[in-house]
Amino acid sequence: MSATDDLHTLTGAYALDALDADERAAFERHLAQCEACTQEVRELTATAGRLALAVTVPAPPRLKAQVMEQIANVRQEHPHAPTGSRQHGARRGHALRWALAACLAGAAALGGTTLWQHHEADQARQEAQAAQRQAAEIAEVLAAPDAKVASAAVQGGARGSVVVSHDSDKAVFIAAGMAEPPKGKVYQLWFAEGDHMRAAGLMNPASADQSVLMTGAVGDASGMGVTLEPAGGSRQPTTQPLALLQLPA
């Protein structure tokens, strides 16, 4: 394996600031010439930040033992597709088919409990994939060449910033120090188009610090706002805005 191949495997450690000074310097020189690693670092950094804001749950001891065992045996995949990737994909697909067959056999043997566990695992996988896609979209907006930011205070002592990329027609709201909303309430984001407020997504009530990809295109919106709404959100604001920000042109 060449030194360059070794550098390709450091994207995760770099995103988590886990390299020593020499490794970091060498990887940053490599990063300036490797588009694949640059994109992977962006996605990993955004994902790491999002996961850090999530509510954590201690992993079962058995799961931790399995992960630690795999660390010793599985190397990080090169960001470029390796030679023979089709054959690898075929083998992987074959293995997945066997895994699915095993799940179905287990369901027949164990009954409804196994089916419920399979459904829960599938739902968790879909939620994780959705979170990864959103994290990647957030990273794209934040790293867009035309990205511009505006900031303002939020009622209650918090701070809010909105990052806009008009080229991608997307915006990200970044909050810091948000107080937990009252029970049965949620913070809702809005695009302001003249006197009209257009719903743009809900914030996570359990996170004081978070980045939210605003729902819908920026379009003709000239500003955005944050209000406190009933759980599930409202079609139109029902309270006075906690913050109003003018979108950067």
Side-chain angles (χ1 to χ4, degrees):
M1 180 184 296
S2 69
T4 300
D5 288 334
D6 289 337
L7 289 171
H8 283 305
T9 68
L10 298 181
T11 52
Y14 181 81
L16 296 176
D17 196 23
L19 300 178
D20 61 33
D22 292 339
E23 289 174 329
R24 186 178 187 85
F27 183 75
E28 287 180 343
R29 289 193 296 270
H30 165 74
L31 202 61
Q33 303 175 356
C34 182
E35 182 178 351
C37 283
T38 299
Q39 179 63 27
E40 187 168 301
V41 166
R42 287 175 183 167
E43 295 173 357
L44 289 173
T45 300
T47 301
R50 189 171 183 85
L51 291 176
L53 297 175
V55 177
T56 58
V57 178
R62 181 171 59 84
L63 178 59
K64 180 179 179 181
Q66 291 174 347
V67 172
M68 296 305 292
E69 180 180 353
Q70 288 299 314
I71 287 175
N73 298 319
V74 181
R75 68 181 296 276
Q76 180 174 324
E77 184 179 352
H78 191 295
H80 294 289
T83 302
S85 58
R86 293 182 180 177
Q87 296 170 338
H88 172 75
R91 291 195 298 271
R92 183 181 179 191
H94 184 67
L96 288 175
R97 286 194 293 272
W98 275 107
L100 178 59
C103 288
L104 294 176
L110 300 177
T113 300
T114 301
L115 286 172
W116 175 81
Q117 290 174 338
H118 177 71
H119 172 74
E120 291 294 303
D122 186 62
Q123 183 176 358
R125 177 180 58 81
Q126 292 178 8
E127 290 176 354
Q129 290 175 341
Q132 289 179 334
R133 286 193 297 269
Q134 187 175 75
E137 289 186 77
I138 289 174
E140 288 177 3
V141 174
L142 300 183
D146 71 320
K148 295 182 180 179
V149 61
S151 301
V154 179
Q155 184 177 319
R159 293 288 301 177
S161 299
V162 58
V163 181
V164 178
S165 168
H166 287 285
D167 285 349
S168 63
D169 208 17
K170 296 178 181 178
V172 171
F173 181 69
I174 304 172
M178 296 291 291
E180 184 175 352
K183 186 175 181 180
K185 299 288 186 179
V186 66
Y187 294 118
Q188 186 165 357
L189 305 178
W190 306 88
F191 280 120
E193 298 175 337
D195 295 332
H196 174 68
M197 301 295 284
R198 171 163 51 92
L202 305 178
M203 298 180 65
N204 182 353
S207 296
D209 305 320
Q210 57 187 292
S211 299
V212 183
L213 180 68
M214 297 182 67
T215 304
V218 175
D220 296 328
S222 60
M224 66 148 296
V226 183
T227 62
L228 187 62
E229 303 294 334
S234 303
R235 297 185 66 179
Q236 287 295 313
T238 62
T239 63
Q240 291 297 315
L242 302 175
L244 287 172
L245 290 82
Q246 183 174 355
L247 297 184

